[in-house]
Amino acid sequence: MKSILVSVLILISINLIAQDEEKRLDEKIDEITYDWDLEADKLSSYEGLQELCIDENYRKRILTLLDDIHHYDTVLYNVLTKLSRTSDDKEIKKTLKDIKKFESEYDSKSFIHFMNEECKAMMEIEKNSEETANDVGINSYSGQVYLLETELFKYVKHVTARVDKIRLHVHHLSKHYN
């Protein structure tokens, strides 16, 4: 009986409707994480970084998307925290752990700080581009771009992996309790 009650609570909670949204929580998480995956490809490149640094509208769009991801992670975290009090479901515990890790390592403040540093580095590379155009190796323009792009790719890849992992947990919980 207790497991049926917990299953019903989880089903209701996962299907919670955000107050200002018409979509189920799992559908909204799907949507925003898919949007992130599309933007992550662009952000992983030097050209994407340049656009983020220069285009205020693009920067706002990325930060809004990241804020939305954190908002819905928080909603999910709160729902699952309540459910974890009455359930021993390991998937709930894994999801809570992954959300906590994502929120502590890749919060908006950390993302903004990282991207600000990358923008400074990009501007420095561009400022010295005429001088480094004919250099060879890591001191060359292309070498510096490559190093920056590699660092950028790794960071965005880590963010994306965390976002996708949470999405997979949500899918598992939805399938398990639907």
Side-chain angles (χ1 to χ4, degrees), residues 46 121 124-148:
Y46 190 74
E124 190 67 25
I125 290 170
E126 293 302 317
K127 183 175 105 178
N128 298 321
S129 63
E130 286 184 28
E131 297 167 21
T132 60
N134 296 322
D135 283 353
V136 179
I138 62 169
N139 293 325
S140 70
Y141 175 82
S142 60
Q144 291 177 39
V145 167
Y146 176 76
L147 289 174
L148 185 64

Side-chain angles (χ1 to χ4, degrees), residues 155-170:
Y155 183 82
V156 172
K157 181 181 171 186
H158 287 297
V159 172
T160 303
R162 288 275 159 216
V163 166
D164 289 346
K165 194 171 193 178
I166 293 166
R167 178 176 54 208
L168 288 174
H169 286 305
V170 170

Side-chain angles (χ1 to χ4, degrees), residues 6 10 13-14 25-26 33 49 57 65 82-85 87 104 109-110 149 152 160 165 175:
V6 169
I10 290 174
S13 298
I14 290 177
L25 181 58
D26 59 338
T33 56
L49 175 64
N57 289 329
L65 177 58
K82 289 176 187 171
L83 290 173
S84 70
R85 294 178 193 137
S87 173
S104 67
K109 185 178 175 182
S110 300
E149 204 168 37
L152 182 65
T160 303
K165 194 171 193 178
K175 287 178 185 175

Side-chain angles (χ1 to χ4, degrees), residues 32-45 48 51-52 58 61-62 65 156 160:
I32 59 177
T33 56
Y34 176 75
D35 290 347
W36 173 260
D37 287 345
L38 293 176
E39 292 300 337
D41 286 340
K42 185 176 185 177
L43 279 174
S44 296
S45 70
E51 187 172 349
L52 182 80
Y58 181 66
R61 192 169 82 226
I62 294 300
L65 177 58
V156 172
T160 303

Side-chain angles (χ1 to χ4, degrees), residues 86-149:
T86 58
S87 173
D88 290 332
D89 190 321
K90 290 178 183 167
E91 193 68 28
I92 291 172
K93 290 178 185 359
K94 286 182 199 175
T95 307
L96 288 170
K97 181 181 172 189
D98 285 332
I99 291 172
K100 196 180 285 188
K101 186 168 184 162
F102 175 68
E103 293 297 329
S104 67
E105 293 178 9
Y106 301 104
D107 63 338
S108 294
K109 185 178 175 182
S110 300
F111 181 84
I112 290 168
H113 176 73
F114 178 83
M115 287 302 177
N116 279 338
E117 293 301 313
E118 297 299 283
C119 287
K120 287 177 192 174
M122 183 270 303
M123 288 179 197
E124 190 67 25
I125 290 170
E126 293 302 317
K127 183 175 105 178
N128 298 321
S129 63
E130 286 184 28
E131 297 167 21
T132 60
N134 296 322
D135 283 353
V136 179
I138 62 169
N139 293 325
S140 70
Y141 175 82
S142 60
Q144 291 177 39
V145 167
Y146 176 76
L147 289 174
L148 185 64
E149 204 168 37

